[in-house]
Amino acid sequence: MKTVNKFSQFIFNQYRKNETRLHQLSYLFWECTQRCNMRCLHCGSDCSANSKTEDLPFDDFLGAILPLKEVYKPDSITVAITGGEPLMRKDLPECGRRLRQHGFLWGIVTNGYDYTPDTHGRLLAAGMGSIALSLDGLEPTHNWLRGNYQSFNRAVTALALISSTKHLTYDVITCVNQKNIYELEKIKEFFVAHNVKAWRLFTVTPIGRAAQNDDLRLSPGQLKYLLDFIVNSRTCNNIFVTFSCESWVGEYEKKIRDTYFFCRAGINIASVLIDGSISACPNINRSFVQGNIYRDSFLDVWNNRFEIMRDRRWTKTGICKDCKDYRNCSGGPMHLWNEKKDNVLTCIYNQL
């Protein structure tokens, strides 16, 4: 592959080192439930409607993060409420209202199945400022991936509510797989017709339920097709298309997103998981947990741990060991490493 602009990449690498040194928290995931109203083929958490894991009490979560106000302006941190499916919690608007009462910004990640006009109104009234909606294809492919024949229509209803609301930051996220890869152009046309302004694409990570389904993962040729599609789509003024932060991609860098690849897990991103565990991005392996709100100070853990994510030289192993571009990606995103830490699960750049 061709190389990117070396000077530009060098400057960005210095910026990344500085961000890592400062490690200012800006994005905090709250895994509020492991219950879900779907059973998606690509679920990294293997969630279900009948999850026996109890929801994390909001008061416990809030009590853990309130000390952040001693160091940060609360509106500099966005709490992203995820799951499972956060709308399974009936107290979600009240949770959001109390977060805003304490100055924190907040939003949700949802499949849209239970996103009704009443729910929309209550969440907005509680101060919701952002939302990410999953919509994974046209009706047949979306319903296939989600395992629910009503899922597409419910998600489109949610989309209409979300896209028509001014001052609400939102994007639609799509899991690209072998079923929908060649309908991306039609999906884009559908989104443009439904006033979608921001569309984020990602590929399947072989974790959780997705690890059991090889048919979901793209071939090298399909990966190139996807990246070329994003490059071409970014010339469209009607919709902003971007690739997720799941890999350094060589010559495609800054063509498929606005900046170079940077996995901010443990650097600017933290999470409180369903059992109170303190980690980074909730998609990463649970062996990377750094503490627990029931025995540790969240602020102390954030300030003084996370070394495994802030110094990633340990990732120079397996296929990363002799990669000439290692300095540009530092082993890729944290969610592609398991508890063995001996090899990255997959590497888009290597496949390309």
Side-chain angles (χ1 to χ4, degrees):
M1 294 182 68
K2 300 175 182 177
T3 57
V4 296
N5 183 293
K6 290 185 178 181
F7 180 73
S8 177
Q9 180 73 67
F10 171 79
I11 295 299
F12 185 83
N13 288 349
Q14 298 308 303
Y15 160 78
R16 185 172 62 194
K17 289 179 181 178
N18 191 54
E19 284 287 285
T20 302
R21 179 180 61 83
L22 295 173
H23 54 263
Q24 296 290 302
L25 180 64
S26 60
Y27 210 70
L28 175 59
F29 284 97
W30 174 34
E31 188 182 47
C32 71
T33 184
Q34 281 199 339
R35 293 179 292 144
C36 188
N37 45 22
M38 295 190 192
R39 191 165 176 80
C40 304
L41 295 177
H42 64 305
C43 180
S45 302
D46 202 14
C47 297
S48 68
N50 300 317
S51 174
K52 296 180 181 179
T53 304
E54 293 185 2
D55 294 351
L56 181 68
F58 175 73
D59 284 338
D60 296 355
F61 171 71
L62 182 62
I65 69 170
L66 280 180
L68 290 170
K69 296 171 68 173
E70 300 171 7
V71 179
Y72 296 92
K73 292 182 178 179
D75 62 1
S76 69
I77 297 174
T78 296
V79 176
I81 305 176
T82 185
E85 168 53 46
L87 292 179
M88 297 290 283
R89 289 186 64 130
K90 302 307 180 185
D91 65 341
L92 189 61
E94 176 62 14
C95 296
R97 184 191 67 79
R98 292 179 63 191
L99 284 170
R100 283 302 295 135
Q101 189 177 53
H102 286 283
F104 295 103
L105 304 178
W106 69 277
I108 67 171
V109 181
T110 179
N111 59 36
Y113 191 79
D114 287 330
Y115 201 91
T116 65
D118 178 66
T119 299
H120 183 62
R122 288 190 294 119
L123 293 174
L124 290 177
M128 181 179 71
S130 60
I131 186 168
L133 174 69
S134 294
L135 219 170
D136 297 302
L138 301 178
E139 187 168 0
T141 49
H142 175 88
N143 289 344
W144 166 80
L145 189 65
R146 296 282 163 175
N148 187 308
Y149 74 95
Q150 293 182 313
S151 176
F152 179 81
N153 289 333
R154 294 279 194 104
V156 171
T157 297
L159 177 61
L161 293 167
I162 294 165
S163 64
S164 64
T165 304
K166 294 181 179 180
H167 310 303
L168 179 64
T169 300
Y170 76 94
D171 65 355
V172 176
I173 51 179
T174 296
C175 173
V176 183
N177 56 79
Q178 291 196 31
K179 287 278 190 178
N180 66 7
I181 179 69
Y182 297 118
E183 66 179 28
L184 289 176
E185 195 64 49
K186 291 183 179 180
I187 297 171
K188 183 175 71 174
E189 293 172 2
F190 178 87
F191 285 164
V192 169
H194 285 75
N195 299 312
V196 173
K197 301 302 181 184
W199 184 23
R200 179 161 37 111
L201 303 173
F202 70 98
T203 61
V204 173
T205 300
I207 58 177
R209 204 173 295 148
Q212 312 303 319
N213 196 332
D214 291 339
D215 293 337
L216 292 175
R217 295 196 285 277
L218 302 180
S219 68
Q222 290 170 330
L223 283 170
K224 188 175 186 305
Y225 178 92
L226 167 61
L227 298 181
D228 286 336
F229 168 80
I230 296 173
V231 171
N232 294 330
S233 296
R234 284 170 66 83
T235 63
C236 176
N237 294 325
N238 294 326
I239 186 171
F240 179 72
V241 184
T242 187
F243 189 52
S244 67
C245 56
E246 62 186 281
S247 177
W248 193 78
V249 287
E251 67 173 315
Y252 286 99
E253 289 294 321
K254 296 194 76 173
K255 296 179 182 178
I256 57 170
R257 49 185 170 240
D258 288 348
T259 186
Y260 290 110
F261 167 75
F262 183 8
C263 175
R264 295 179 181 268
I267 297 170
N268 305 112
I269 298 172
S271 66
V272 175
L273 304 178
I274 190 67
D275 62 351
S277 293
I278 301 168
S279 189
C281 171
N283 283 333
I284 71 175
N285 192 278
R286 303 288 156 128
S287 66
F288 292 101
V289 163
Q290 300 295 297
N292 192 289
I293 63 170
Y294 292 112
R295 63 173 183 266
D296 302 302
S297 158
F298 179 91
L299 186 58
D300 178 66
V301 171
W302 176 255
N303 285 335
N304 299 306
R305 302 187 194 178
F306 286 91
E307 190 63 23
I308 196 170
M309 300 169 207
R310 295 169 187 168
D311 182 354
R312 303 192 186 182
R313 287 175 291 183
W314 60 270
T315 62
K316 198 168 179 61
T317 184
I319 61 174
C320 297
K321 183 177 181 179
D322 298 316
C323 179
K324 64 181 179 62
D325 290 300
Y326 176 84
R327 65 188 181 280
N328 295 327
C329 84
S330 298
M334 286 295 300
H335 70 268
L336 292 181
W337 290 88
N338 60 26
E339 64 278 2
K340 295 180 181 179
K341 304 177 181 64
D342 57 354
N343 202 354
V344 69
L345 292 175
T346 185
C347 173
I348 290 178
Y349 178 63
N350 188 58
Q351 292 179 67
L352 291 171

